[in-house]
Amino acid sequence: MAKSIKIFAPATVANLSCGFDVLGCCLDNVGDEMKISITSIPEVKISKIEGADLPLETQKNVAGVAVEALLKAYDKPVGVDIEIFKKIKAGSGIGSSAASSTGAVWAVNHLLNEPFTPHELVAFAMEGEKLASGNAHADNVAPALLGGFTLVRSYKPLDVIKLHSPSDLVMTVIHPQIEVKTSDSRSVLKQNVDLKKAIQQWGNVGGFVAGLFTENYDLIGRSLEDVIIEPLRSILIPEFKAVKEAAIAKGALGCGISGSGPSIFALSKSMETATIVSEAIREVYSQTGLDFDIHVSKINNQGVRIINQ
């Protein structure tokens, strides 16, 4: 049994416009790094965090909580030491808490010779999400663990499906340097949904999934429409409308809020288009006076991966 491993824990884009809390995808070149070690003392310890001001206390750290959930199910005395090198900013809307949660449980499971399947790991990582936002959602942790695009068909019982990922799809993401907490972003949502809008949204989810499997890019684009969540959350994001219009004008299939925001994603058919879209978005945000990051990434069909061992 290996004693230590260093891994890349990818960023993710959740919701994908039409799929609130059920759809997500995994990014390829944006993510955290973590070093996970098996120790002789049967406890979970967060020994180092670089790149972010996050708690070292196990019960207050999403990675610690997720690993403790795994070890409770493993039911054998195991010690774990966790080092986190954050590259994804907290509150960015591209799965910062999910990266820590999934990276930790994936690495521990690997070091224990994989007693749990990737699908089983989703439930453990969700405990980290519950700590971060108060809601144990899987739309970020599922793609981070399984790779590619994923659909949460059901939460009770948990049923996660990996979808087809067309190789031509490329994601452009802009992260304005403002923080929108998931808990705050959820607070603006309505608890009741108009039936006509719900029907429209269900149709878009079905269309998006069908578009992925058939590699019908026009259908994917038509389905990237959110008539329920985006109208409420977009007011929290500066220049959201202008960014969306610029992205579509330059050829993006669709554009929407990444997770709970403030990041905005645009999905394109090629790296060339995604790069053109990134420049158009950059031009919009350069006029705001806000600092921002832009990422252009292929879809990561693997999920968490080993850096070295």
Side-chain angles (χ1 to χ4, degrees):
M1 182 187 297
K3 294 295 184 181
S4 183
I5 192 173
K6 190 171 184 181
I7 55 97
F8 171 80
T12 47
V13 173
N15 300 341
L16 296 170
S17 293
C18 57
F20 178 69
D21 272 8
V22 299
L23 287 175
C25 72
C26 186
L27 301 183
D28 190 51
N29 58 5
V30 189
D32 295 339
E33 295 180 3
M34 304 178 75
K35 182 180 179 182
I36 311 295
S37 304
I38 299 297
T39 64
S40 58
I41 303 173
E43 65 178 10
V44 178
K45 181 181 179 182
I46 315 290
S47 62
K48 179 188 291 186
I49 299 176
E50 294 183 1
D53 184 18
L54 297 171
L56 290 168
E57 296 92 335
T58 302
Q59 291 295 324
K60 296 181 180 180
N61 187 288
V62 298
V65 168
V67 170
E68 286 196 330
L70 182 153
L71 293 181
K72 182 178 180 181
Y74 186 62
D75 200 26
K76 296 178 184 177
V78 175
V80 175
D81 181 84
I82 302 172
E83 299 179 28
I84 305 171
F85 306 92
K86 292 297 292 182
K87 307 292 179 70
I88 310 171
K89 295 180 175 65
S92 61
I94 53 174
S96 178
S97 59
S100 295
S101 300
T102 57
V105 297
W106 188 96
V108 170
N109 189 58
H110 181 85
L111 292 170
L112 296 177
N113 295 323
E114 301 183 351
F116 302 103
T117 68
H119 281 80
E120 289 172 326
L121 294 180
V122 172
F124 305 137
M126 286 171 64
E127 292 302 310
E129 293 288 70
K130 184 177 181 181
L131 175 65
S133 67
N135 182 57
H137 56 95
D139 49 347
N140 287 104
V141 298
L145 283 166
L146 304 180
F149 290 87
T150 57
L151 168 70
V152 184
R153 189 204 64 81
S154 168
Y155 276 93
K156 292 184 179 181
L158 184 63
D159 186 4
V160 177
I161 302 163
K162 182 170 181 176
L163 306 175
H164 178 65
S165 297
S167 59
D168 289 339
L169 290 179
V170 181
M171 192 71 77
T172 303
V173 180
I174 179 168
H175 172 214
Q177 298 298 300
I178 59 173
E179 182 175 353
V180 176
K181 293 183 178 180
T182 302
S183 54
D184 294 338
S185 188
R186 282 183 176 272
S187 69
V188 304
L189 303 181
K190 296 179 180 179
Q191 296 302 309
N192 297 302
V193 178
D194 178 78
L195 181 59
K196 289 183 179 180
K197 290 183 178 179
I199 293 170
Q200 189 174 351
Q201 200 89 335
W202 295 330
N204 283 329
V205 173
F208 183 77
V209 172
L212 290 178
F213 278 101
T214 59
E215 301 198 4
N216 184 330
Y217 297 101
D218 288 338
L219 178 56
I220 291 171
R222 296 199 306 273
S223 302
L224 285 170
E225 178 190 33
D226 181 0
V227 297
I228 296 175
I229 307 299
E230 185 178 295
L232 300 173
R233 282 184 167 174
S234 60
I235 61 175
L236 302 174
I237 304 172
E239 298 299 328
F240 173 80
K241 183 179 180 180
V243 166
K244 185 171 184 175
E245 290 175 351
I248 299 298
K250 291 299 182 179
L253 298 172
C255 181
I257 301 170
S258 178
S260 59
S263 287
I264 305 168
F265 80 88
L267 189 62
S268 300
K269 186 181 176 181
S270 67
M271 180 61 73
E272 180 183 4
T273 301
T275 302
I276 293 171
V277 167
S278 74
E279 292 306 314
I281 293 173
R282 183 184 301 277
E283 185 174 343
V284 171
Y285 250 82
S286 294
Q287 301 174 31
T288 65
L290 293 171
D291 291 332
F292 60 90
D293 295 324
I294 293 182
H295 309 288
V296 179
S297 174
K298 293 182 178 181
I299 304 302
N300 170 1
N301 206 37
Q302 177 182 354
V304 180
R305 61 179 180 261
I306 298 171
I307 297 176
N308 58 46
Q309 189 171 353

